[in-house]
Amino acid sequence: MVLDAGHGGADPGKVSEEGVLEKDLNLVITRRLAKELEDAGVEVILTRTGDEGPGQDQAEAGSRKLADLKARTERINEEYPDLAVSIHQNSYPDPSVRGVQVFYYSRSEAGERMAALMEKAFREGLPEETRVRDSKANEEYYLLRNTEVPAIILECGFLSCPEELSLLMDQDYQEQFCKAAARGILACMGK
Ligand SMILES: [Zn+2]
């Protein structure tokens, strides 16, 4: 399977009030999740392993973001894995808004099934303080629209919620989160 740590390089993604960059947290969680999956015998391919934005170098400043998404999507389609999961963090103006949420492409039944299994794994495996939001169909996200294999975007939590940000930065919570996510991914693979 492919794990895609969102953003990177010139694109920090969301930035918390304290200056935590989404791209950094995405990579930490992606690596931890990759390890959980590899320990369970799953072959994991990462679209980035450091602070780089795939495809950004070859693009003009104004089109870097799209070039980055294109490069990730092309990589996923080239590898043609069973499934792909793109890791992100959310943000919202109201700092009390929190929770984990899975997005899938509205025209993909396989994506919808994957999202349901991931949501179930989070409901079973995360502490009560974590709000597990209902999975949501999306018609526009470039990566979801253009990948040729079942794919989801996993928004792990809200950087704009101080309590949730502390949890996401906490190693014990990261482990618990990644164990739950790994169980969901294994379920998606029929394991
Ligand atoms: Zn993001």
Side-chain angles (χ1 to χ4, degrees):
M1 61 97 47
V2 169
L3 277 183
D4 172 52
H7 312 282
D11 171 18
K14 311 269 165 55
V15 180
S16 84
E17 204 147 284
E18 303 81 356
V20 175
L21 308 181
E22 182 192 346
K23 65 175 183 177
D24 294 335
L25 195 49
N26 289 345
L27 189 59
V28 168
I29 291 176
T30 297
R31 289 189 141 160
R32 204 173 259 266
L33 178 52
K35 182 155 189 323
E36 288 291 337
L37 289 165
E38 282 163 359
D39 287 349
V42 176
E43 189 197 341
V44 182
I45 296 157
L46 303 181
T47 56
R48 71 174 174 103
T49 54
D51 183 18
E52 70 265 1
Q56 286 180 14
D57 292 352
Q58 296 82 17
E60 303 284 320
S63 58
R64 269 196 201 121
K65 186 134 186 159
L66 183 59
D68 174 299
L69 288 171
K70 269 188 180 159
R72 290 167 197 263
T73 306
E74 276 167 20
R75 176 80 193 281
I76 293 169
N77 290 339
E78 271 167 32
E79 299 286 353
Y80 211 76
D82 295 353
L83 51 95
V85 177
S86 185
I87 305 289
H88 287 261
Q89 313 299 321
N90 222 328
S91 180
Y92 195 72
D94 176 350
S96 70
V97 172
R98 61 191 291 170
V100 55
Q101 190 164 31
V102 179
F103 290 86
Y104 60 93
Y105 183 42
S106 48
R107 294 181 206 186
S108 168
E109 279 177 32
E112 186 173 1
R113 266 198 305 279
M114 258 182 89
L117 288 168
M118 294 301 291
E119 192 186 312
K120 181 168 178 278
F122 287 129
R123 289 195 193 283
E124 289 169 356
L126 290 183
E128 259 177 44
E129 60 202 300
T130 301
R131 174 161 177 217
V132 181
R133 298 177 159 268
D134 292 340
S135 316
K136 207 167 170 185
N138 182 286
E139 202 156 26
E140 284 167 15
Y141 291 152
Y142 183 92
L143 189 128
L144 292 181
R145 245 181 335 135
N146 293 288
T147 41
E148 292 160 7
V149 300
I152 52 163
I153 288 177
L154 172 53
E155 298 276 0
C156 307
F158 284 76
L159 295 190
S160 46
C161 171
E163 294 85 8
E164 191 154 67
L165 177 58
S166 318
L167 276 178
L168 290 164
M169 303 282 288
D170 178 81
Q171 295 209 7
D172 290 339
Y173 183 78
Q174 285 173 1
E175 191 181 335
Q176 197 174 5
F177 184 89
C178 291
K179 279 193 190 305
R183 271 195 295 273
I185 290 168
L186 288 167
C188 294
M189 300 176 94
K191 292 183 185 178

